[in-house]
Amino acid sequence: MKKIEAIIRKSKFDEVKEALHQIEVNFFSYWDVTGVGNEKQGHVYRGVSYSTSDIQRRFLSIVVTDPFLEITVDALLKAAFTGTVGDGKIFVSDVIESYRIRTKEKGADSLN
């Protein structure tokens, strides 16, 4: 099993959610986060300077079986893409074990 953590633009969340549902990834967690990006200069709007280094994003945490890893990452890459700075990041790590509390199932069976 693999854990996929994705940091995406909030504006792309609905497209990402729909893409995940289309490939039958129906369970994942998400929350709003603020990060610091590479862009160091601020922007001026109507004479007021705004910092653009603090970036509002959405963080997704998804656990999938190994065969679903590539299709899930591909769906994220396609749905979250704008081609401009700030599209986000995807991280993949191993999951040693998972359990469904209600039924006591473990491993891949606990993900369905």
Side-chain angles (χ1 to χ4, degrees):
M1 290 177 290
K2 302 293 184 192
K3 181 177 186 178
I4 302 167
E5 295 175 315
I7 302 168
I8 64 168
R9 295 174 184 274
K10 290 172 84 171
S11 62
K12 298 297 278 182
F13 177 71
D14 288 337
E15 292 174 53
V16 167
K17 183 170 67 170
E18 180 60 31
L20 291 172
H21 288 316
Q22 286 179 2
I23 61 167
E24 298 183 7
V25 174
N26 295 311
F27 178 80
F28 58 91
S29 300
Y30 67 91
W31 50 97
D32 292 334
V33 296
T34 302
V36 178
N38 291 329
E39 193 169 324
K40 303 297 183 216
Q41 65 185 19
H43 292 287
V44 177
Y45 179 73
R46 294 190 179 191
V48 179
S49 180
Y50 293 93
S51 171
T52 56
S53 63
D54 296 330
I55 305 167
Q56 298 292 316
R57 294 289 183 254
R58 190 146 287 164
F59 186 98
L60 288 77
S61 178
I62 309 162
V63 177
V64 296
T65 57
D66 290 353
F68 266 89
L69 175 62
E70 289 302 318
I71 192 169
T72 305
V73 170
D74 287 344
L76 288 166
L77 288 170
K78 289 176 187 170
F81 178 80
T82 68
T84 59
V85 173
D87 275 351
K89 300 268 194 269
I90 298 172
F91 306 98
V92 177
S93 57
D94 289 318
V95 172
I96 297 170
E97 192 61 86
S98 69
Y99 297 88
R100 183 187 313 252
I101 295 171
R102 179 178 56 86
T103 62
K104 314 272 188 300
E105 292 171 294
K106 69 182 220 176
D109 292 335
S110 72
L111 299 180
N112 299 325

